[in-house]
């Protein structure tokens, strides 16, 4: 799977990228029909203390799969986003099996 990572309004983080790749490898091994992942990490000014956003869009057969999380920490945002994607991928795979 091809992975594109972008950092908006923040410095690039090698450790964050490595953690992301590890999580996406887990998805790729289970769902080998994934084609590409576009990942965006960005910060926004948020009065609640949040504002660390992770967006992931997956290219796969059928419509694209998208998830976004906004928490106070990039690792938490990434974990929530990947978990949302995992649920969507399970549903997509169930539709493959029924056809």
């Amino acid at each position: 799977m091809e992975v594109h990572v972008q950092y908006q309004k923040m410095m690039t983080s090698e450790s964050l990228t490595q953690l992301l790749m590890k999580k996406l490898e887990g998805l790729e091994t289970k769902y080998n029909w994934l084609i590409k992942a576009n990942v965006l990490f960005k910060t926004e000014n948020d009065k609640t203390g949040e504002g660390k956003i992770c967006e992931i869009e997956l290219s796969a057969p059928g419509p694209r799969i998208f998830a976004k999380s906004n928490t106070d920490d990039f690792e938490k945002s990434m974990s929530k986003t990947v978990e949302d994607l995992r649920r969507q991928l399970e549903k997509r795979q169930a539709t493959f099996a029924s056809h």
Side-chain angles (χ1 to χ4, degrees):
M1 174 172 57
E2 192 179 323
V3 180
H4 297 282
V5 182
Q6 292 181 315
Y7 293 91
Q8 188 176 358
K9 296 183 183 174
M10 62 178 282
M11 297 291 293
T12 59
S13 168
E14 193 61 41
S15 61
L16 197 59
T17 303
Q18 287 177 349
L19 184 62
L20 170 75
M21 297 306 259
K22 197 172 179 181
K23 288 186 178 287
L24 289 179
E25 280 175 20
L27 289 180
E28 186 181 17
T29 54
K30 190 168 181 183
Y31 308 102
N32 60 354
W33 36 267
L34 293 174
I35 302 165
K36 183 169 77 173
N38 291 321
V39 183
L40 175 65
F41 290 105
K42 64 181 178 179
T43 56
E44 288 185 354
N45 292 335
D46 191 342
K47 292 174 180 57
T48 62
E50 295 184 347
K52 307 282 193 277
I53 299 171
C54 175
E55 297 178 5
I56 302 177
E57 179 184 25
L58 294 176
S59 297
R64 293 190 178 197
I65 299 172
F66 179 80
K68 175 180 178 179
S69 296
N70 181 5
T71 66
D72 62 342
D73 183 51
F74 283 114
E75 285 82 6
K76 285 183 199 171
S77 293
M78 184 188 350
S79 293
K80 284 175 89 173
T81 304
V82 169
E83 193 52 45
D84 289 348
L85 291 172
R86 190 181 315 275
R87 278 196 298 273
Q88 292 180 49
L89 289 166
E90 284 174 10
K91 289 178 186 175
R92 176 78 55 94
Q93 191 164 31
T95 61
F96 286 163
S98 66
H99 290 293

